[in-house]
mmCIF file of all heavy atoms in Angstrom:
data_model
loop_
_atom_site.group_PDB
_atom_site.id
_atom_site.type_symbol
_atom_site.label_atom_id
_atom_site.label_comp_id
_atom_site.label_asym_id
_atom_site.label_seq_id
_atom_site.Cartn_x
_atom_site.Cartn_y
_atom_site.Cartn_z
ATOM 1 N N ASP M 375 -15.762 1.860 55.741
ATOM 2 C CA ASP M 375 -16.479 0.628 56.077
ATOM 3 C C ASP M 375 -16.108 0.167 57.484
ATOM 4 O O ASP M 375 -15.134 0.631 58.073
ATOM 5 C CB ASP M 375 -16.138 -0.464 55.057
ATOM 6 C CG ASP M 375 -16.885 -0.226 53.751
ATOM 7 O OD1 ASP M 375 -17.837 0.568 53.750
ATOM 8 O OD2 ASP M 375 -16.501 -0.816 52.731
ATOM 9 N N SER M 376 -16.882 -0.770 57.998
ATOM 10 C CA SER M 376 -16.644 -1.242 59.362
ATOM 11 C C SER M 376 -15.361 -2.068 59.428
ATOM 12 O O SER M 376 -14.876 -2.574 58.416
ATOM 13 C CB SER M 376 -17.816 -2.104 59.819
ATOM 14 O OG SER M 376 -17.779 -3.339 59.125
ATOM 15 N N ILE M 377 -14.824 -2.174 60.631
ATOM 16 C CA ILE M 377 -13.600 -2.951 60.825
ATOM 17 C C ILE M 377 -13.809 -4.395 60.385
ATOM 18 O O ILE M 377 -12.939 -5.026 59.806
ATOM 19 C CB ILE M 377 -13.178 -2.888 62.311
ATOM 20 C CG1 ILE M 377 -12.683 -1.474 62.622
ATOM 21 C CG2 ILE M 377 -12.114 -3.912 62.629
ATOM 22 C CD1 ILE M 377 -12.116 -1.297 64.001
ATOM 23 N N TRP M 378 -14.987 -4.885 60.586
ATOM 24 C CA TRP M 378 -15.279 -6.261 60.208
ATOM 25 C C TRP M 378 -15.225 -6.433 58.698
ATOM 26 O O TRP M 378 -14.616 -7.371 58.177
ATOM 27 C CB TRP M 378 -16.650 -6.654 60.783
ATOM 28 C CG TRP M 378 -17.061 -8.045 60.406
ATOM 29 C CD1 TRP M 378 -18.192 -8.413 59.753
ATOM 30 C CD2 TRP M 378 -16.321 -9.244 60.657
ATOM 31 N NE1 TRP M 378 -18.211 -9.762 59.572
ATOM 32 C CE2 TRP M 378 -17.072 -10.315 60.114
ATOM 33 C CE3 TRP M 378 -15.103 -9.525 61.273
ATOM 34 C CZ2 TRP M 378 -16.644 -11.629 60.167
ATOM 35 C CZ3 TRP M 378 -14.667 -10.847 61.327
ATOM 36 C CH2 TRP M 378 -15.427 -11.877 60.781
ATOM 37 N N ASP M 379 -15.854 -5.485 57.944
ATOM 38 C CA ASP M 379 -15.814 -5.549 56.480
ATOM 39 C C ASP M 379 -14.378 -5.440 55.973
ATOM 40 O O ASP M 379 -13.973 -6.142 55.047
ATOM 41 C CB ASP M 379 -16.644 -4.407 55.873
ATOM 42 C CG ASP M 379 -18.138 -4.701 55.929
ATOM 43 O OD1 ASP M 379 -18.484 -5.893 56.066
ATOM 44 O OD2 ASP M 379 -18.938 -3.760 55.854
ATOM 45 N N LEU M 380 -13.624 -4.526 56.576
ATOM 46 C CA LEU M 380 -12.244 -4.336 56.142
ATOM 47 C C LEU M 380 -11.407 -5.587 56.432
ATOM 48 O O LEU M 380 -10.551 -5.965 55.635
ATOM 49 C CB LEU M 380 -11.631 -3.113 56.843
ATOM 50 C CG LEU M 380 -12.136 -1.762 56.322
ATOM 51 C CD1 LEU M 380 -11.747 -0.632 57.271
ATOM 52 C CD2 LEU M 380 -11.558 -1.487 54.937
ATOM 53 N N THR M 381 -11.682 -6.235 57.562
ATOM 54 C CA THR M 381 -10.951 -7.460 57.886
ATOM 55 C C THR M 381 -11.253 -8.555 56.864
ATOM 56 O O THR M 381 -10.356 -9.252 56.395
ATOM 57 C CB THR M 381 -11.325 -7.953 59.304
ATOM 58 O OG1 THR M 381 -10.983 -6.932 60.227
ATOM 59 C CG2 THR M 381 -10.584 -9.223 59.647
ATOM 60 N N LYS M 382 -12.532 -8.658 56.513
ATOM 61 C CA LYS M 382 -12.896 -9.679 55.525
ATOM 62 C C LYS M 382 -12.168 -9.443 54.198
ATOM 63 O O LYS M 382 -11.824 -10.380 53.487
ATOM 64 C CB LYS M 382 -14.417 -9.663 55.287
ATOM 65 C CG LYS M 382 -15.187 -10.501 56.277
ATOM 66 C CD LYS M 382 -16.615 -10.745 55.806
ATOM 67 C CE LYS M 382 -17.390 -9.438 55.751
ATOM 68 N NZ LYS M 382 -18.809 -9.618 55.423
ATOM 69 N N ALA M 383 -11.956 -8.162 53.854
ATOM 70 C CA ALA M 383 -11.309 -7.850 52.582
ATOM 71 C C ALA M 383 -9.797 -8.017 52.646
ATOM 72 O O ALA M 383 -9.146 -8.289 51.642
ATOM 73 C CB ALA M 383 -11.644 -6.416 52.157
ATOM 74 N N ARG M 384 -9.230 -7.844 53.847
ATOM 75 C CA ARG M 384 -7.770 -7.837 53.952
ATOM 76 C C ARG M 384 -7.172 -9.143 54.453
ATOM 77 O O ARG M 384 -6.098 -9.557 54.009
ATOM 78 C CB ARG M 384 -7.340 -6.687 54.873
ATOM 79 C CG ARG M 384 -7.557 -5.345 54.238
ATOM 80 C CD ARG M 384 -7.400 -4.190 55.216
ATOM 81 N NE ARG M 384 -6.076 -4.155 55.816
ATOM 82 C CZ ARG M 384 -5.584 -3.084 56.446
ATOM 83 N NH1 ARG M 384 -6.300 -1.986 56.538
ATOM 84 N NH2 ARG M 384 -4.387 -3.124 56.968
ATOM 85 N N LEU M 385 -7.879 -9.800 55.406
ATOM 86 C CA LEU M 385 -7.276 -10.957 56.069
ATOM 87 C C LEU M 385 -6.890 -12.101 55.116
ATOM 88 O O LEU M 385 -5.800 -12.667 55.257
ATOM 89 C CB LEU M 385 -8.210 -11.450 57.183
ATOM 90 C CG LEU M 385 -7.606 -12.460 58.137
ATOM 91 C CD1 LEU M 385 -6.358 -11.898 58.810
ATOM 92 C CD2 LEU M 385 -8.607 -12.882 59.198
ATOM 93 N N PRO M 386 -7.749 -12.466 54.144
ATOM 94 C CA PRO M 386 -7.381 -13.597 53.288
ATOM 95 C C PRO M 386 -6.024 -13.416 52.608
ATOM 96 O O PRO M 386 -5.234 -14.353 52.503
ATOM 97 C CB PRO M 386 -8.502 -13.632 52.247
ATOM 98 C CG PRO M 386 -9.659 -12.956 52.889
ATOM 99 C CD PRO M 386 -9.077 -11.926 53.797
ATOM 100 N N TRP M 387 -5.755 -12.180 52.154
ATOM 101 C CA TRP M 387 -4.478 -11.943 51.481
ATOM 102 C C TRP M 387 -3.330 -12.027 52.473
ATOM 103 O O TRP M 387 -2.218 -12.455 52.123
ATOM 104 C CB TRP M 387 -4.491 -10.571 50.804
ATOM 105 C CG TRP M 387 -5.513 -10.470 49.729
ATOM 106 C CD1 TRP M 387 -6.701 -9.821 49.801
ATOM 107 C CD2 TRP M 387 -5.457 -11.049 48.435
ATOM 108 N NE1 TRP M 387 -7.393 -9.955 48.628
ATOM 109 C CE2 TRP M 387 -6.654 -10.700 47.768
ATOM 110 C CE3 TRP M 387 -4.521 -11.837 47.756
ATOM 111 C CZ2 TRP M 387 -6.941 -11.108 46.472
ATOM 112 C CZ3 TRP M 387 -4.809 -12.235 46.464
ATOM 113 C CH2 TRP M 387 -5.997 -11.874 45.829
ATOM 114 N N LEU M 388 -3.588 -11.618 53.713
ATOM 115 C CA LEU M 388 -2.533 -11.707 54.720
ATOM 116 C C LEU M 388 -2.250 -13.156 55.082
ATOM 117 O O LEU M 388 -1.104 -13.542 55.299
ATOM 118 C CB LEU M 388 -2.926 -10.897 55.965
ATOM 119 C CG LEU M 388 -3.025 -9.381 55.745
ATOM 120 C CD1 LEU M 388 -3.476 -8.683 57.023
ATOM 121 C CD2 LEU M 388 -1.694 -8.812 55.273
ATOM 122 N N VAL M 389 -3.310 -13.959 55.131
ATOM 123 C CA VAL M 389 -3.105 -15.383 55.399
ATOM 124 C C VAL M 389 -2.270 -16.005 54.281
ATOM 125 O O VAL M 389 -1.349 -16.792 54.529
ATOM 126 C CB VAL M 389 -4.458 -16.115 55.559
ATOM 127 C CG1 VAL M 389 -4.247 -17.614 55.627
ATOM 128 C CG2 VAL M 389 -5.173 -15.622 56.815
ATOM 129 N N LEU M 390 -2.569 -15.586 53.039
ATOM 130 C CA LEU M 390 -1.761 -16.049 51.911
ATOM 131 C C LEU M 390 -0.295 -15.687 52.137
ATOM 132 O O LEU M 390 0.614 -16.514 51.944
ATOM 133 C CB LEU M 390 -2.281 -15.405 50.622
ATOM 134 C CG LEU M 390 -1.512 -15.711 49.337
ATOM 135 C CD1 LEU M 390 -1.717 -17.163 48.929
ATOM 136 C CD2 LEU M 390 -1.954 -14.785 48.207
ATOM 137 N N GLY M 391 -0.070 -14.432 52.549
ATOM 138 C CA GLY M 391 1.298 -13.995 52.808
ATOM 139 C C GLY M 391 1.950 -14.803 53.929
ATOM 140 O O GLY M 391 3.131 -15.151 53.862
ATOM 141 N N LEU M 392 1.143 -15.142 54.961
ATOM 142 C CA LEU M 392 1.646 -15.923 56.079
ATOM 143 C C LEU M 392 2.087 -17.313 55.623
ATOM 144 O O LEU M 392 3.169 -17.796 55.976
ATOM 145 C CB LEU M 392 0.561 -16.045 57.155
ATOM 146 C CG LEU M 392 0.987 -16.627 58.489
ATOM 147 C CD1 LEU M 392 1.770 -15.596 59.285
ATOM 148 C CD2 LEU M 392 -0.207 -17.106 59.291
ATOM 149 N N VAL M 393 1.236 -17.911 54.814
ATOM 150 C CA VAL M 393 1.572 -19.247 54.305
ATOM 151 C C VAL M 393 2.848 -19.168 53.466
ATOM 152 O O VAL M 393 3.748 -20.007 53.579
ATOM 153 C CB VAL M 393 0.397 -19.801 53.465
ATOM 154 C CG1 VAL M 393 0.808 -21.088 52.768
ATOM 155 C CG2 VAL M 393 -0.810 -20.041 54.368
ATOM 156 N N GLY M 394 2.943 -18.115 52.644
ATOM 157 C CA GLY M 394 4.156 -17.931 51.841
ATOM 158 C C GLY M 394 5.383 -17.788 52.732
ATOM 159 O O GLY M 394 6.431 -18.390 52.466
ATOM 160 N N GLY M 395 5.248 -17.010 53.794
ATOM 161 C CA GLY M 395 6.377 -16.788 54.689
ATOM 162 C C GLY M 395 6.780 -18.072 55.387
ATOM 163 O O GLY M 395 7.971 -18.350 55.569
ATOM 164 N N ILE M 396 5.780 -18.874 55.772
ATOM 165 C CA ILE M 396 6.080 -20.173 56.397
ATOM 166 C C ILE M 396 6.799 -21.071 55.401
ATOM 167 O O ILE M 396 7.762 -21.771 55.731
ATOM 168 C CB ILE M 396 4.783 -20.818 56.924
ATOM 169 C CG1 ILE M 396 4.278 -20.015 58.134
ATOM 170 C CG2 ILE M 396 5.007 -22.270 57.284
ATOM 171 C CD1 ILE M 396 2.975 -20.521 58.717
ATOM 172 N N GLY M 397 6.334 -21.006 54.148
ATOM 173 C CA GLY M 397 7.006 -21.776 53.088
ATOM 174 C C GLY M 397 8.463 -21.363 52.961
ATOM 175 O O GLY M 397 9.371 -22.211 52.883
ATOM 176 N N ALA M 398 8.686 -20.042 52.951
ATOM 177 C CA ALA M 398 10.060 -19.546 52.840
ATOM 178 C C ALA M 398 10.896 -20.022 54.023
ATOM 179 O O ALA M 398 12.054 -20.449 53.863
ATOM 180 C CB ALA M 398 10.060 -18.018 52.759
ATOM 181 N N ALA M 399 10.288 -19.971 55.240
ATOM 182 C CA ALA M 399 11.011 -20.419 56.424
ATOM 183 C C ALA M 399 11.360 -21.904 56.324
ATOM 184 O O ALA M 399 12.462 -22.327 56.708
ATOM 185 C CB ALA M 399 10.177 -20.152 57.678
ATOM 186 N N ALA M 400 10.417 -22.685 55.779
ATOM 187 C CA ALA M 400 10.664 -24.123 55.634
ATOM 188 C C ALA M 400 11.828 -24.370 54.679
ATOM 189 O O ALA M 400 12.694 -25.222 54.928
ATOM 190 C CB ALA M 400 9.397 -24.822 55.144
ATOM 191 N N ILE M 401 11.856 -23.615 53.566
ATOM 192 C CA ILE M 401 12.958 -23.778 52.614
ATOM 193 C C ILE M 401 14.293 -23.434 53.284
ATOM 194 O O ILE M 401 15.275 -24.174 53.191
ATOM 195 C CB ILE M 401 12.745 -22.871 51.384
ATOM 196 C CG1 ILE M 401 11.549 -23.380 50.574
ATOM 197 C CG2 ILE M 401 14.001 -22.833 50.519
ATOM 198 C CD1 ILE M 401 11.170 -22.482 49.432
ATOM 199 N N MET M 402 14.291 -22.294 53.983
ATOM 200 C CA MET M 402 15.517 -21.897 54.664
ATOM 201 C C MET M 402 15.917 -22.933 55.704
ATOM 202 O O MET M 402 17.113 -23.192 55.913
ATOM 203 C CB MET M 402 15.330 -20.530 55.326
ATOM 204 C CG MET M 402 15.258 -19.397 54.320
ATOM 205 S SD MET M 402 14.593 -17.888 55.051
ATOM 206 C CE MET M 402 15.950 -17.377 56.081
ATOM 207 N N GLY M 403 14.896 -23.525 56.352
ATOM 208 C CA GLY M 403 15.171 -24.568 57.335
ATOM 209 C C GLY M 403 15.950 -25.718 56.714
ATOM 210 O O GLY M 403 16.810 -26.325 57.360
ATOM 211 N N GLY M 404 15.679 -25.987 55.445
ATOM 212 C CA GLY M 404 16.386 -27.052 54.740
ATOM 213 C C GLY M 404 17.874 -26.762 54.582
ATOM 214 O O GLY M 404 18.676 -27.660 54.333
ATOM 215 N N PHE M 405 18.230 -25.484 54.676
ATOM 216 C CA PHE M 405 19.643 -25.119 54.547
ATOM 217 C C PHE M 405 20.244 -24.706 55.894
ATOM 218 O O PHE M 405 21.283 -24.082 55.949
ATOM 219 C CB PHE M 405 19.789 -23.955 53.554
ATOM 220 C CG PHE M 405 19.380 -24.321 52.149
ATOM 221 C CD1 PHE M 405 18.071 -24.147 51.710
ATOM 222 C CD2 PHE M 405 20.313 -24.850 51.261
ATOM 223 C CE1 PHE M 405 17.698 -24.482 50.416
ATOM 224 C CE2 PHE M 405 19.942 -25.182 49.968
ATOM 225 C CZ PHE M 405 18.636 -25.008 49.544
ATOM 226 N N GLU M 406 19.527 -25.085 56.988
ATOM 227 C CA GLU M 406 19.912 -24.568 58.304
ATOM 228 C C GLU M 406 21.310 -25.012 58.735
ATOM 229 O O GLU M 406 21.987 -24.322 59.488
ATOM 230 C CB GLU M 406 18.875 -25.014 59.357
ATOM 231 C CG GLU M 406 18.800 -24.084 60.560
ATOM 232 C CD GLU M 406 17.764 -24.554 61.570
ATOM 233 O OE1 GLU M 406 16.796 -25.231 61.177
ATOM 234 O OE2 GLU M 406 17.933 -24.242 62.753
ATOM 235 N N HIS M 407 21.753 -26.168 58.197
ATOM 236 C CA HIS M 407 23.078 -26.657 58.588
ATOM 237 C C HIS M 407 24.176 -25.700 58.121
ATOM 238 O O HIS M 407 25.305 -25.766 58.564
ATOM 239 C CB HIS M 407 23.314 -28.059 58.016
ATOM 240 C CG HIS M 407 23.104 -28.125 56.523
ATOM 241 N ND1 HIS M 407 21.847 -28.151 55.949
ATOM 242 C CD2 HIS M 407 23.987 -28.124 55.500
ATOM 243 C CE1 HIS M 407 21.975 -28.199 54.641
ATOM 244 N NE2 HIS M 407 23.246 -28.173 54.340
ATOM 245 N N LEU M 408 23.856 -24.793 57.180
ATOM 246 C CA LEU M 408 24.861 -23.845 56.702
ATOM 247 C C LEU M 408 24.971 -22.617 57.595
ATOM 248 O O LEU M 408 25.858 -21.791 57.429
ATOM 249 C CB LEU M 408 24.500 -23.363 55.284
ATOM 250 C CG LEU M 408 24.335 -24.420 54.209
ATOM 251 C CD1 LEU M 408 23.937 -23.763 52.912
ATOM 252 C CD2 LEU M 408 25.640 -25.195 54.051
ATOM 253 N N ILE M 409 24.015 -22.498 58.532
ATOM 254 C CA ILE M 409 23.863 -21.210 59.196
ATOM 255 C C ILE M 409 25.082 -20.834 60.039
ATOM 256 O O ILE M 409 25.393 -19.648 60.185
ATOM 257 C CB ILE M 409 22.554 -21.187 60.034
ATOM 258 C CG1 ILE M 409 21.991 -19.764 60.091
ATOM 259 C CG2 ILE M 409 22.791 -21.707 61.429
ATOM 260 C CD1 ILE M 409 20.572 -19.698 60.615
ATOM 261 N N LYS M 410 25.775 -21.820 60.545
ATOM 262 C CA LYS M 410 26.901 -21.478 61.399
ATOM 263 C C LYS M 410 28.075 -20.930 60.601
ATOM 264 O O LYS M 410 28.683 -19.937 60.960
ATOM 265 C CB LYS M 410 27.332 -22.709 62.194
ATOM 266 C CG LYS M 410 26.242 -23.056 63.167
ATOM 267 C CD LYS M 410 26.608 -23.986 64.275
ATOM 268 C CE LYS M 410 25.383 -24.137 65.157
ATOM 269 N NZ LYS M 410 24.947 -25.519 65.337
#
Side-chain angles (χ1 to χ4, degrees):
Chain M
D375 284 345
S376 72
I377 290 186
W378 178 237
D379 282 340
L380 286 166
T381 300
K382 274 195 295 185
R384 290 169 59 164
L385 192 58
W387 297 104
L388 294 178
V389 171
L390 177 70
L392 190 76
V393 172
I396 290 178
I401 291 174
M402 289 164 72
F405 295 90
E406 206 180 333
H407 54 283
L408 303 178
I409 211 167
K410 293 196 177 124

